[in-house]
Amino acid sequence: MRSDPRNQRDPGTRPSVEVAILVALVGLAGALRVISWNRTAALFNDGPLYLGISRLMGAGDWSGALAHDYHPLYPFLTLLANFAAGDWERAAVAVSILSGSASVVLLYALVRPYLGPRVAALAGLVLAMHPHAVDFSADVQSEGLYLALFLGALLAISRSLDPPRPALAAWGGVLCGLAYLTRPEGIGVLGVAGALGAWRVLRGRLPLGRAVVWGAAVLAGVLLFVTPYMTAMRVETGSWVLSQKKSAVGIATMGRIEGRIRAGDESWGAQRQAPRTSVDRMVDLGDTIVSGARYEVLVLMVLGWVVARRRRLAGSGDYGELVALSLMLYFVAILGLVFSAGYVSRRHILPPVIIGFGFVGYAIPIFGRGLLEVGRRILAPNSPWAPTAGVALALGLSIVVALAVPKAIRPSRTNSLAERRAAEWLRGSSLSPGAVAAVKHRVAYYAGASFVPLRAIPEKEVTEYLRARGARYVVVDEEEIPEYPGLRGAADREMRLLHRENAADHSASVYEVPALPIGEAG
C-alpha cells in the first residue's frame, strides 16, 4: 500500500480529534445494534445451532462441537463470553455487537491511508448505520465477528505490501485464518492477498523474490489455524475438506461436479423444486446484490469511484485496486455458490462490498453539492450563490442517515412473534415433553425441545413421518401451512389443537401428534 502524505492528516484532524470521532462512531454503532437486538422478535434461525455448539464446548464435548457443519470460532468466543454474561444468548449477542462495532474502527483504519481521515470517518459512519450490517451484527450469528476479522485481515495485508513487511503479512494471515474459523468464506482473503501481490509484481512495484517471502508469510499465518481445523474435519469426514457446510469443489466448478441433493431430503416425499435456469439465478443474484448492499450505497460507491479517478485523487488508485480485486474474487466465489448451492444471501454479499465504503464516504459531499446545484438551477438560475463544502456535506449526510437509521432500528422478524409465543407457551405448560416439528429450528429452541423439520409430504404420510422422527408436537404459523399440503388435512383430522397465539397479524398453533395406537405400539 502506497500512502500519500496528503491523506495522512487533514487540517483540523488532530490525533485527539480522530480519537473522539472514532469513539463517537463506535458508540453510535453499538447503540444502533443494541436497539436493533432489543427490537428483534426472534433469533436468527441459525442462532440455536451456534448456541448448541457453545454448550457442547462448555460440556467438554469438543469432538461433537468440531463435527458440526458450522465453523467453531464464534461458538468458542460465545463460550468465553458466557463466563461473564451468565446467559448463553446474551453472551452470543455481546460477541456480535462488540465485533460489529469494532468493524467500524477497522474500516476507518483500512480507508484512512488511501483517502484520508475525513473520508475514512464517513466510511465508518456508513458502516455503523448500514441496516444490514446492523442486523447481521445484532443477533446470534457469526457475521459480526466474521466482518471484523475479514476487515482486520485486509488491513494488515494491505499495510504489509509497501514496503513488504513479512511479520505484518503473517499477522494478516493469522487474521485470515481466524476469519476462516468463523465462516468458510474467510479463506477468500488469502486469494485477495495473492491477487494483490501478483498485481504488484506484474506492475514492477514488488520484486519477485520479496513477493515470494511476503506471500509465504501470509500463507504461514493462514495455515496456523486452517491446518488444525482441516485435520479435525479429516478425522470426522474421512477426507480433506475446507468446510462441511458447502463443497469447495462444487463452488469452484459452479455445481458441475457436485449436483447431488443432501441425503434424507428426498425421503418422505420431500418436494423437489422445478429446475431454475441460469437467467433466473442471475436475476436473483442481481436482486440480492442490490438489496444486500443497498441501492443508495451502490450509487454513491460508483459515483465516488468515478469522480476520484477523474480527479486523480491521491491514494484512490491503490485503494481502487484493493476494492476491485476483492470484489472480482468474491464475485466469482458467489457465482460458484449460486450455481452449486442454488442460492446466495445478503450475508455473503455485504462484506466485500463494505471494502468499497471509502468511495461512498468520498461521494457523500459530492452528492450533496450536486443536489444543491440542481436546486439552485431550478429555483434561482441567475443566483451567484454557490454551496459551501460544509452545507454540501450536511445535505448529503442527512439523506444517507435518513435512509439508513430508521431501517436499521425497525422491529425485526415480527412475523415470527406468534410462533415464538406459541413455543414458549408449550415450554411453560405441564404437557409431557417431546420433540417439536416446525419450519424453523428456533421454534423448537423456544419450546425447549428437540427439532424435527416439517416436510411437504402427502397427508397420509404426515403422521407417520412425525412419529418416525419422534415429534410429539407441531408448532406452525397458520400462514405457512399451505406450503405443506398434507399438513392441513392431518392437523384437522388427526391432530389435536392445544393452543393458538395471535401476534403482529400472524396466528400460530400448537398441535399434538397422535400417539401410535396401543395395539400397534409393539
Side-chain angles (χ1 to χ4, degrees):
M1 177 187 63
R2 185 175 297 169
S3 303
D4 192 285
R6 289 169 291 180
N7 288 338
Q8 296 308 299
R9 183 76 48 80
D10 284 350
T13 52
R14 298 185 303 273
S16 59
V17 174
E18 286 195 68
V19 170
I21 289 172
L22 285 175
V23 169
L25 289 176
V26 171
L28 175 64
L32 291 176
R33 283 152 179 78
V34 169
I35 293 170
S36 176
W37 166 244
N38 286 325
R39 305 192 77 186
T40 298
L43 288 178
F44 178 63
N45 193 48
D46 289 348
L49 299 176
Y50 286 117
L51 296 176
I53 298 170
S54 295
R55 289 191 175 99
L56 288 175
M57 292 176 175
D61 186 2
W62 293 94
S63 177
L66 293 175
H68 204 283
D69 287 353
Y70 290 88
H71 287 214
L73 185 58
Y74 178 64
F76 177 69
L77 292 182
T78 297
L79 169 66
L80 297 182
N82 185 55
F83 290 119
D87 179 271
W88 291 104
E89 198 171 299
R90 283 201 298 266
V93 173
V95 172
S96 293
I97 291 176
L98 290 173
S99 300
S101 301
S103 297
V104 172
V105 177
L106 293 166
L107 180 64
Y108 178 93
L110 179 66
V111 173
R112 186 187 186 282
Y114 296 111
L115 303 179
R118 289 184 178 178
V119 173
L122 290 171
L125 179 60
V126 173
L127 175 57
M129 60 187 183
H130 190 285
H132 298 312
V134 171
D135 183 31
F136 297 156
S137 57
D139 207 330
V140 183
Q141 58 188 109
S142 61
E143 277 70 13
L145 176 62
Y146 168 71
L147 179 61
L149 293 168
F150 172 79
L151 291 173
L154 285 173
L155 170 63
I157 287 170
S158 63
R159 288 198 174 184
S160 70
L161 269 170
D162 292 321
R165 286 178 281 179
L168 185 56
W171 279 111
V174 165
L175 291 170
C176 172
L178 291 173
Y180 162 78
L181 287 185
T182 307
R183 294 189 59 83
E185 55 265 35
I187 199 68
V189 178
L190 180 60
V192 175
L196 285 170
W199 183 246
R200 277 163 173 71
V201 170
L202 290 174
R203 296 185 64 190
R205 291 175 55 184
L206 183 62
L208 181 59
R210 300 188 72 180
V212 170
V213 174
W214 177 85
V218 175
L219 183 60
V222 172
L223 293 178
L224 186 64
F225 290 97
V226 172
T227 303
Y229 184 56
M230 286 184 64
T231 302
M233 287 191 291
R234 171 76 169 81
V235 172
E236 293 294 332
T237 67
S239 59
W240 291 103
V241 293
L242 277 173
S243 174
Q244 298 181 74
K245 283 196 70 178
K246 299 288 185 299
S247 164
V249 173
I251 292 174
T253 61
M254 298 192 179
R256 290 187 177 89
I257 292 179
E258 295 189 356
R260 58 182 175 82
I261 300 176
R262 283 184 181 269
D265 280 357
E266 289 189 275
S267 63
W268 301 97
Q271 278 188 329
R272 276 189 167 191
Q273 293 182 342
R276 301 173 68 243
T277 66
S278 297
V279 173
D280 291 335
R281 292 180 177 184
M282 293 304 295
V283 169
D284 289 346
L285 175 59
D287 290 342
T288 305
I289 290 173
V290 172
S291 63
R294 302 271 298 169
Y295 66 91
E296 70 273 16
V297 169
L298 290 177
V299 169
L300 289 173
M301 186 183 298
V302 172
L303 174 64
W305 201 333
V306 170
V307 174
R309 294 294 290 176
R310 291 188 63 180
R311 292 178 178 178
R312 299 176 184 262
L313 180 70
S316 63
D318 285 348
Y319 179 60
E321 288 175 6
L322 173 64
V323 174
L325 289 172
S326 301
L327 288 176
M328 285 190 293
L329 286 170
Y330 272 92
F331 182 72
V332 171
I334 286 168
L335 277 180
L337 185 62
V338 167
F339 284 95
S340 62
Y343 84 103
V344 68
S345 75
R346 295 167 179 169
R347 295 177 288 128
H348 302 115
I349 296 296
L350 191 57
V353 172
I354 286 172
I355 303 170
F357 276 15
F359 286 129
V360 179
Y362 182 68
I364 288 174
I366 298 172
F367 174 64
R369 184 178 294 276
L371 290 178
L372 290 169
E373 182 62 25
V374 169
R376 184 190 68 80
R377 292 185 179 184
I378 294 174
L379 300 175
N382 298 320
S383 171
W385 178 79
T388 64
V391 172
L393 174 61
L395 177 60
L397 196 54
S398 64
I399 292 174
V400 172
V401 170
L403 290 173
V405 171
K407 191 171 180 65
I409 60 174
R410 75 197 187 287
S412 176
R413 301 193 194 104
T414 54
N415 59 337
S416 299
L417 184 58
E419 275 186 314
R420 173 177 178 170
R421 289 180 177 173
E424 289 174 336
W425 173 88
L426 179 60
R427 184 174 191 163
S429 73
S430 58
L431 294 167
S432 300
V436 168
V439 176
K440 298 288 188 181
H441 197 125
R442 61 173 171 249
V443 176
Y445 166 78
Y446 285 120
S450 300
F451 172 62
V452 175
L454 284 174
R455 300 292 191 202
I457 57 182
E459 178 184 338
K460 62 181 181 180
E461 299 179 15
V462 170
T463 302
E464 182 187 357
Y465 164 78
L466 295 174
R467 287 172 180 161
R469 295 296 191 273
R472 189 177 182 89
Y473 305 101
V474 175
V475 179
V476 64
D477 189 315
E478 291 293 326
E479 289 188 7
E480 293 180 320
I481 288 182
E483 300 176 23
Y484 301 84
L487 183 60
R488 177 78 281 166
D492 291 341
R493 283 183 278 277
E494 298 183 59
M495 300 182 194
R496 182 162 68 101
L497 176 64
L498 299 174
H499 184 71
R500 182 162 287 164
E501 284 280 353
N502 298 298
D505 297 324
H506 282 256
S507 180
S509 302
V510 181
Y511 294 96
E512 183 178 31
V513 179
L516 195 65
I518 296 177
E520 301 177 25

